[in-house]
Amino acid sequence: MKCFKNRYNNLSYIIFTILSLFSISLIFNNNVWFDEAYTLSLIQHNYSEVIEILKSDMHPPLYFISLKFFCEIFGYSIPITKAFSVLGYIATLSLGLTVIKKHFGRKTSTVYMLTVGAIPMSLYFSVQQRSYQWSIFFVTLCFTEALLFLENHGTRHCVIFVITALFAAYNHIYALLAVGIIFAFLNIYIFTKSKKLIKAIILSDISIIIGYFPWIFPLLYQTEEAAGSFWLKGVEPLSVVVFASGIVISTLILAKKENRRLSVIFAITCVLSVQAIGLLVTIFIRPFYIARYSVVISGIFALLVAFGTQHIKEKVKNIICVLLCALNVACLIGTGIFEYNPSMNNFFNRFDEIASSTDTFLYCDSSFGILSYYYPENTHICTYSEPWFVAFDNIECINKNELSNKIPPNDTVWFVKNELTKTPEYIQSNFDLELVDSFKCDFNTFNVYLAKK
């Protein structure tokens, strides 16, 4: 029996190590898309400037100032900035070896870790230079400690879930929504079924309000700005598919009578509520939600799957684990092919032979973020502006009516745009465009034109 137990313990550590190595193996790619370029440009500013710039965007500051601090110690290279997100992924996995294993058992922790790795795009977000991965960690730990507080009434659990709630809220706007749902669930449950915890939850509510108060006014300003100019134009079909999948999986789990308990109900509430609120706001108020924002509750979803498989037959659970392992391998292969896509490197090799440091790049969409990162010494002109564009020090934003007088006739001008962007009339009227090359970055293809006066 002891040998059997040790084998399962070793299996947990093997899974953790393999999945961690999967993520680490992806940090050496050199493909940076617009949102990542924004991050890399933003952290070149000092801490106070980072916070001021973010007040004009829809992002809380914790991830960015943490990444900047990390880079000041280890450097600002692409692998280092990706490694910071990988640490968040490893931390999320490590919950399976620590808190989850201790309180819910080794089999639950194994299914949890395998599910974390098997979620589509999980490895992708683990190396993105964005706040998602650390948001996943803080939201997952916040949920876990909140659940343990409800079940065990321990003060330590209460303190940890409040602290991690604040960290999550300062990382991403949808992480804020997730912890808001966690607190709402706790308040309703405690005031109706566990009244001896009322004092503790009231103190927790006060603590989270005081802790988040410094960012309340920037959040209100950001929301007001986003209501008028957020880039999303409608309901993303994938977000509906993800939400529908969550409903189906939740229904299948609840179909088993043994699963109708606090841990499962709590997890389902968090997983579905974040998506439902995002979709409702998008449909009835303003498009403001896409599927990738729901990634912040992926750790809770992994716990839901782990809780939902606790009472199934061992043979069925083993089959599920094998399927999860296969999905993990598939995710590694798919993400590796995607992240190490050679299109950009091949483009740079070709383009460097015909371009020079005195050339001017012209943009009418977000493609400016990519080329301005890879060609920082060149002149970069963008024909539209947002307040947060100040994160890019080498971008000059001009009024489109100034275009004809802005660029000298003898300058070599490269017009770069997303292939999905319609070329504006003011560009066509000022230049003859000759398609020279194209490259793929993330999920988009960009065309590069030689623009002649």
Side-chain angles (χ1 to χ4, degrees), residues 71-281:
C71 290
E72 286 186 341
I73 298 174
F74 299 103
Y76 285 81
S77 68
I78 289 179
I80 290 297
T81 52
K82 287 182 179 291
F84 185 70
S85 293
V86 170
L87 291 176
Y89 181 75
I90 293 173
T92 304
L93 290 174
S94 71
L95 295 178
L97 292 179
T98 54
V99 180
I100 296 169
K101 186 176 182 180
K102 177 181 178 180
H103 294 281
F104 304 109
R106 62 182 182 276
K107 293 182 181 179
T108 299
S109 74
T110 297
V111 175
Y112 161 79
M113 287 190 290
L114 288 175
T115 305
V116 167
I119 294 173
M121 304 298 286
S122 181
L123 281 174
Y124 169 80
F125 285 111
S126 78
V127 292
Q128 286 285 293
Q129 292 134 312
R130 303 296 288 159
S131 62
Y132 296 112
Q133 189 55 60
W134 278 106
S135 296
I136 294 170
F137 168 72
F138 290 124
V139 169
T140 306
L141 183 53
C142 176
F143 169 85
T144 306
E145 294 295 334
L147 176 60
L148 292 172
F149 172 62
L150 288 179
E151 293 184 337
N152 303 337
H153 303 174
T155 302
R156 178 173 62 89
H157 298 306
C158 182
V159 171
I160 294 175
F161 90 72
V162 169
I163 293 173
T164 51
L166 282 170
F167 275 78
Y170 274 104
N171 252 287
H172 194 274
I173 188 70
Y174 275 90
L176 170 64
L177 175 59
V179 298
I181 291 167
I182 291 172
F183 268 82
F185 186 95
L186 260 64
N187 276 269
I188 293 170
Y189 185 88
I190 289 172
F191 275 90
T192 56
K193 294 189 176 182
S194 188
K195 294 187 177 180
K196 61 183 177 180
L197 296 177
I198 288 178
K199 181 179 179 181
I201 195 62
I202 290 176
L203 289 174
S204 300
D205 293 340
I206 294 172
S207 298
I208 197 76
I209 292 170
I210 293 174
Y212 199 73
F213 184 78
W215 198 252
I216 288 292
F217 292 106
L219 175 65
L220 293 174
Y221 174 77
Q222 290 172 331
T223 304
E224 182 182 6
E225 289 294 304
S229 63
F230 197 64
W231 62 270
L232 193 61
K233 302 302 180 184
V235 177
E236 180 201 36
L238 180 59
S239 64
V240 179
V241 172
V242 172
F243 182 52
S245 300
I247 292 175
V248 171
I249 293 171
S250 299
T251 302
L252 291 173
I253 290 174
L254 288 175
K256 196 170 183 61
K257 196 172 182 180
E258 295 88 342
N259 285 335
R260 298 168 194 171
R261 60 193 195 278
L262 176 61
S263 58
V264 173
I265 300 298
F266 190 12
I268 288 175
T269 300
C270 294
V271 168
L272 296 184
S273 294
V274 168
Q275 299 175 73
I277 292 172
L279 285 170
L280 288 172
V281 169

Side-chain angles (χ1 to χ4, degrees), residues 24 82 150 303 347 406:
I24 293 170
K82 287 182 179 291
L150 288 179
L303 279 171
F347 163 75
K406 186 65 182 176

Side-chain angles (χ1 to χ4, degrees), residues 357-425:
S357 60
T358 60
D359 294 350
T360 297
F361 289 85
L362 177 64
Y363 314 92
C364 65
D365 60 22
S366 62
S367 56
F368 72 82
I370 300 171
L371 272 298
S372 65
Y373 174 77
Y374 288 102
Y375 294 95
E377 302 303 322
N378 287 77
T379 299
H380 298 270
I381 297 176
C382 186
T383 59
Y384 75 109
S385 178
E386 297 287 349
W388 47 271
F389 284 8
V390 296
F392 298 89
D393 283 335
N394 59 346
I395 291 291
E396 182 180 359
C397 296
I398 65 169
N399 187 297
K400 61 184 180 182
N401 297 322
E402 303 173 4
L403 185 60
S404 59
N405 299 321
K406 186 65 182 176
I407 302 174
N410 296 326
D411 277 15
T412 299
V413 180
W414 304 102
F415 173 55
V416 186
K417 73 175 185 68
N418 190 312
E419 68 171 1
L420 299 178
T421 301
K422 184 178 179 180
T423 303
E425 178 61 33

Side-chain angles (χ1 to χ4, degrees), residues 315-335:
K315 185 178 290 187
V316 177
K317 184 179 288 187
N318 289 337
I319 293 173
I320 291 175
C321 287
V322 171
L323 290 174
L324 290 173
C325 287
L327 283 172
N328 273 274
V329 174
C331 285
L332 174 66
I333 295 172
T335 308

